[in-house]
Structures are given as C-alpha cells and as structure tokens.
Amino acid sequence: MGRIAPRQVPARVLGKYFARRLVDERVVLKPKEMMAELVREFGIHIDYSFALRTRNIAIQMVYGDFDKSYAQLPAFLHTLQLMNPGTVVDMEITSDGRFKHSFLALGACVNAFIQYARPVLMIHGTHLKGKNKGVLFVAVTKDGNEQILPVAVGLGPIENDESWIWFLAHLHMALGDIDDLLIVSDQHQSIKNAVEAVFPRATHGLCYYHLKNKMTKRGKHVTTLFQEAAYAYRRDTFQESMSTLEQVCPNAYQKLCNIGPVHWARSHCPVRHYGFMTSNAVESLNARLLWARRLPVCSLLEMFRSIVEKWFVERRAAAQSSNHVLTDGIALKLSGNVDKGRCYAVRPTTLATLWKVEVGREVYMVDLQNRTCDCREFELDLIPCSHAAAVICCTGAAIYDYVDRCYKAESLVGMYNSVIRGLPHPEQWIMPDAFGERVVFLAPEIRRRAGRPSTSRARAPFEASSSARRHFCTRCHGQGHNRRVCTSHLPIGGVDLNSPPEDVPRRRAPKKCSICGSTEHTRPTCPIRLSVNEH
C-alpha cells in the first residue's frame, strides 16, 4: 500500500486496514487520527471527507450494511426473545414495508426492576449518528448501589407524540402496573403527553438540572434558592425559599409556579423521589452508547445487549463476594448519619415508639414503628436520617432493620442473578412467522444529508460551553465587548492602553499542520505532502 500513489489508493483498501480495530467495541475511529496514522506509517495523505468515507466502509465490513440491517432486525429480535425468556420485543412497519418502530426489553432487566428496584424510571431520547436518521428511546433506573440499570430501549423515526406513546405503551405492557411510579424526564412536550396518555396513575417529574440551567442567566443566587426549594424535604423549608425567590426574581418564581411544584419539588411530590432529582443516569447511558449509535441497528442493539450482559456479570460477582448487609453507597451514607447523630440528645415520650430528638433549639419527633421523622428524610428516602439513627443507637436496636430492602446486598444479588444469553451467527437467526418472506427496508425514507454527521447534541443557549472564547476590549481591558462598542472613560496619564493586563489570556495559538503537526507551516506547504506528490 505504501508503494501506491496516494490518489490511487481506494477507500475500500484503507477501510480493510482499519476494520481490524473495530472488533473491540471500546475503539472509536476518528478521521483525524486515521489521517495522521496513514501519513506516519505509509506517507499517504487523504483529506477529511475521504477519511470519513473510509471509516464508514470499515464499519460496514465489521458490523454489516446499514440497509440490510433493517431487513435482519425482525429475525434478530425474535431470536433474542427465544434465547432470553421473559424478553419483550416488538416491531412496526409501514404499509409499504419500511421500518417505523421497534422495542426491546430484556427479561433479566424487567425482572430486576419489578422485583428489586425502586419504582423510578428515567426516560430520554437521543439521535442516531449513522447513515439513517432515527431516535433511540431509553428507559433506565438505578439499583440499590446507585448503578445504572437499563430497562428498555426503542427505535423510532422522530421524537414526537406518536413515537413516545408507542414506546411507553410497550414499556407499560412489559412492566405492568407499578404502584407509586415516578417517571423523570426533561421538559419535552411529547414526553409529557405520552406519560399522561399511557401512565395516568404515574407521577411525571421534571429533571432538576434542565430547570436549573434555564435560570443561570438570572444569577447564581436565583439558582441557589431554586436548589434549596427543589431539594427541601419539608414544606415549610420549601415555602421559605420560594418566598425569598419571589422577592429576588418574580419572573422565575412565576414560571416555577406555572410548572407546578408537584413536578419538580421533592416536598410536594405525591410519591417518593428516592433521591432521583435529575435524569443524569439516562444521559450517562447515552454517552456510553455514543459509538454504538453510529452503527447499523442490529449491531446497535447487540452492543447494548453485550454491555448489559457485562454489567450483570461484574455486578453479580461483586455482590456475591461482599460480606456487608447494605450496599457500599448506602452503607457510607448511613455511617455518616450515625456519626452525625451521636451528639444529639434523645428523650423518650409517653408512647413507646415515639422519641424526641433535640438538636440545639430544634426538636424532632421520631416514630420508629411508622418510620417517620419531622425532617421527612426517613419517610421519603426509606433510610434512617441522623435523628432516627440517634434514636436507634440509643435503643440498641439493629439499624439495618430500618433500611428498605432495596438497599440491601441480598437484593443486589437477586437483581443480577439472571442470565443474559447472546445470539448465534446471523445465518441461524429465526424469522418470525408474522413477517414471513417480507423484507423491511430503510427506517426513514429521507436519509441523513451528505457530509460529516454531528456527533454531539446541539446545546441550548443556556448550556454554553465554559471553554468558549471570551472577548476582551483592548481599550479598557474589560470582558464581553470590543473597542468598537466600548463606553468606558480613558484613564489619565502614563497608561499604555495597547498592552493587555496580566489576567487577559494570550491570543489563540498558531495553527498547526494537519499532516505533521508543525506550527511553522500549514498543510498546502507541508514538505511531506510535497515530497509524496513528487514521487
């Protein structure tokens, strides 16, 4: 390959060279790294678009064709359901035989959620990055050790009411009716409509992080008051923070009231939050599937299955080897509550199960039988707070008996005790009888436009990156404007206005050559490129 002229090297030859690395799912090929390696190893220079086409060919060699993957999807889902009992799968196609929706919920994940997990679901939709357009719908929860547990995934053409209702309807069919269910998501209107239509008995909670980011421009004091109100356990504490917020920023206060504290305040939620105030868990899973979202649909779902299988094996081994009664994260939190409660004064009352805890001038009533405390932390999180821990230690009872069973190590062992089986060779996949000889074509009729696809989501205005370039004025050395719109008065006497102050960052670093990395020249005048073209 090194003896061939650069313009004569076909993309398929280079794709075969890079395809051997894609066998490992942790490897992510980047076009710039591919360009640099070809120059370093063979002296071959290719542009960015050629490198991107080479990577797509390598993906197709390892993971299959994008078009044929949709035709194999019914057999993939049906075989996966046969290999894993309890798995719920479904697929919908249009009248002309094109793919529209699909759903996958592994039986091991469904049983783990129903029997051992807390009744909280976090849902989100993220876009596919491959050849075809589409959206990946994800529903996750957390185990007693605060680890991500995927429950179900789905594929659809676009994130609208129809797609979300279809996905949540199949999720409801897989899980059944869950008492005191809480569904946490962002403020997408389609999610709200779908939750109200499919889960009328469930409570829809909004992600605290998304709401907070919309208030960053109003000042840090506004976001601090909002955080205090959202995370407050008691309603009087919530009311104090909201009263202060009304005085500081009436507009933010009115918007929060219009949304309703039932959807974002822990103290007003009709069901337990269990500490799930954000949808960060589903965002973390989307980041883990970033490379998988560039692959064909069958490879995407197979990589999702392999990731879940790996987590089950590792967590089952860790839980079985643990000698603790509680999970590691909850044991650490409970230990802190016990240490904090050692300095509290505990007084008995006329009732045998009711105790009075004095913390300075404040008094909290703890009821061990009903597992309640005036701070409401014991009641909402089902973990003894510092006041309840002080009473339990005073009475000599076992504190582990007052922790909910979802936080215990035995529940963690039962949660990951199921087996997730892989699939045989694609030639042995079984096509369901409902489809017969019917062939499913591409998911969307409109493909992704030509060029480099975006790998990261479009950020909202309130999510501006902290590493964005800052503008400094060369006249007054202020930040956020330039000398054309500067309205500051010039200083008098002996000040060099053209010299920047010490705290002003230096100018942008000089450009580097994309071939050899030198700062003395750019790509058109690179000696390596000129020498290769001469030969």
Side-chain angles (χ1 to χ4, degrees):
M1 189 166 55
R3 292 193 294 268
I4 303 177
R7 296 183 179 179
Q8 297 178 356
V9 178
R12 181 165 294 278
V13 175
L14 298 181
K16 196 172 183 179
Y17 171 74
F18 288 103
R20 57 184 180 180
R21 304 185 185 178
L22 293 178
V23 178
D24 188 356
E25 63 180 25
R26 295 171 296 180
V27 175
V28 178
L29 287 179
K30 296 182 179 180
K32 287 188 177 180
E33 296 177 357
M34 298 166 59
M35 296 164 58
E37 181 177 348
L38 290 176
V39 173
R40 183 176 62 254
E41 297 293 335
F42 305 103
I44 298 177
H45 171 74
I46 59 176
D47 56 11
Y48 191 92
S49 60
F50 194 87
L52 189 63
R53 189 164 66 253
T54 301
R55 189 184 69 175
N56 294 337
I57 292 176
I59 292 175
Q60 182 175 345
M61 288 181 176
V62 178
Y63 296 102
D65 186 76
F66 283 86
D67 298 348
K68 295 180 181 179
S69 182
Y70 285 100
Q72 298 174 346
L73 187 58
F76 172 86
L77 295 176
H78 184 62
T79 308
L80 186 63
Q81 186 179 27
L82 295 177
M83 297 293 294
N84 298 272
T87 300
V88 180
V89 300
D90 196 6
M91 183 173 174
E92 182 184 9
I93 59 177
T94 59
S95 57
D96 56 350
R98 291 185 176 271
F99 171 85
K100 189 174 183 180
H101 296 107
S102 68
F103 178 84
L104 170 60
L106 294 172
C109 299
V110 172
N111 295 333
F113 176 77
I114 295 176
Q115 297 182 13
Y116 301 100
R118 290 162 284 184
V120 180
L121 285 174
M122 289 156 281
I123 60 176
H124 187 64
T126 182
H127 294 277
L128 302 180
K129 305 298 181 182
K131 180 180 178 181
N132 306 108
K133 291 183 178 180
V135 178
L136 177 67
F137 303 99
V138 185
V140 305
T141 187
K142 282 187 177 182
D143 58 16
N145 202 24
E146 302 301 326
Q147 299 173 119
I148 299 175
L149 175 65
V151 179
V153 293
L155 294 171
I158 192 174
E159 194 173 3
N160 55 8
D161 290 3
E162 181 185 2
S163 297
W164 270 116
I165 290 176
W166 194 91
F167 174 73
L168 292 183
H170 285 75
L171 182 62
H172 182 269
M173 179 179 62
L175 302 179
D177 293 329
I178 306 295
D179 296 333
D180 300 332
L181 179 63
L182 174 65
I183 300 178
V184 182
S185 69
D186 55 11
Q187 282 187 284
H188 201 288
Q189 186 64 32
S190 297
I191 298 179
K192 177 183 177 182
N193 298 337
V195 171
E196 293 177 353
V198 181
F199 290 94
R201 296 172 50 190
T203 302
H204 183 209
L206 298 178
C207 176
Y208 158 78
Y209 179 78
H210 288 83
L211 291 177
K212 186 196 71 171
N213 282 339
K214 294 185 178 181
M215 302 181 183
T216 52
K217 293 185 178 181
R218 304 180 185 272
K220 186 176 181 180
H221 56 287
V222 176
T223 58
T224 303
L225 291 172
F226 171 64
Q227 180 179 359
E228 293 176 356
Y231 279 85
Y233 285 94
R234 301 173 58 174
R235 295 198 174 186
D236 54 351
T237 308
F238 167 85
Q239 192 60 40
E240 292 176 3
S241 301
M242 291 297 291
S243 300
T244 308
L245 181 62
E246 183 181 10
Q247 300 175 2
V248 174
C249 186
N251 293 334
Y253 171 82
Q254 188 61 39
K255 288 185 177 181
L256 292 176
C257 291
N258 294 337
I259 296 174
V262 175
H263 300 291
W264 56 268
R266 175 157 50 187
S267 58
H268 286 70
C269 186
V271 297
R272 293 185 178 93
H273 263 273
Y274 295 96
F276 297 108
M277 300 296 295
T278 65
S279 58
N280 292 344
V282 68
E283 297 284 0
S284 300
L285 182 61
N286 290 338
R288 180 65 178 83
L289 296 173
L290 179 60
W291 172 250
R293 285 186 277 138
R294 305 178 186 178
L295 306 178
V297 289
C298 288
S299 299
L300 163 62
L301 297 179
E302 171 59 23
M303 188 169 291
F304 166 77
R305 186 209 61 80
S306 64
I307 291 174
V308 176
E309 180 186 11
K310 180 181 177 182
W311 287 352
F312 265 65
V313 172
E314 294 176 349
R315 295 172 186 177
R316 179 171 62 245
Q320 290 175 350
S321 61
S322 177
N323 297 325
H324 302 288
V325 179
L326 304 178
T327 60
D328 296 338
I330 302 303
L332 183 62
K333 180 179 180 180
L334 187 61
S335 176
N337 291 342
V338 172
D339 294 340
K340 190 184 299 183
R342 295 184 187 277
C343 59
Y344 296 163
V346 180
R347 302 283 187 269
T349 61
T350 55
L351 294 177
T353 60
L354 190 63
W355 296 78
K356 181 169 61 175
V357 180
E358 299 177 358
V359 184
R361 296 183 179 180
E362 297 182 355
V363 178
Y364 297 89
M365 306 301 296
V366 178
D367 189 349
L368 294 181
Q369 183 176 1
N370 298 323
R371 300 188 179 186
T372 60
C373 179
D374 286 349
C375 69
R376 298 194 68 196
E377 183 177 348
F378 190 14
E379 175 186 352
L380 296 181
D381 291 346
L382 299 182
I383 302 174
C385 59
S386 59
H387 316 107
V391 174
I392 295 172
C393 293
C394 182
T395 58
I399 195 171
Y400 301 132
D401 297 339
Y402 294 91
V403 180
D404 192 74
R405 79 178 187 96
C406 64
Y407 299 114
K408 296 184 178 180
E410 59 181 6
S411 297
L412 205 63
V413 174
M415 178 178 290
Y416 296 109
N417 200 27
S418 302
V419 178
I420 300 177
R421 295 180 175 86
L423 272 72
H425 193 270
E427 295 180 356
Q428 302 179 4
W429 293 353
I430 303 173
M431 181 68 71
D433 298 335
F435 289 90
E437 301 297 331
R438 197 171 186 177
V439 179
V440 183
F441 297 94
L442 296 178
E445 296 184 5
I446 302 176
R447 298 187 181 183
R448 188 176 302 279
R449 61 183 181 181
R452 177 185 178 184
S454 176
T455 57
S456 58
R457 65 182 179 89
R459 292 185 177 271
F462 56 82
E463 294 181 306
S465 176
S466 59
S467 61
R469 185 181 178 185
R470 295 179 297 176
H471 298 279
F472 287 87
C473 178
T474 58
R475 183 170 179 263
C476 67
H477 307 314
Q479 181 180 352
H481 66 279
N482 54 23
R483 65 180 302 123
R484 286 186 176 183
V485 295
C486 182
T487 58
S488 302
H489 295 285
L490 290 174
I492 300 176
V495 179
D496 186 8
L497 296 179
N498 293 325
S499 60
E502 297 180 356
D503 57 343
V504 176
R506 298 180 180 179
R507 293 186 176 181
R508 183 180 298 178
K511 294 184 177 180
K512 296 182 179 180
C513 177
S514 59
I515 299 177
C516 62
S518 176
T519 58
E520 298 179 357
H521 57 268
T522 56
R523 185 180 66 182
T525 59
C526 179
I528 298 178
R529 180 186 181 186
L530 296 178
S531 61
V532 171
N533 291 336
E534 291 177 0
H535 293 293

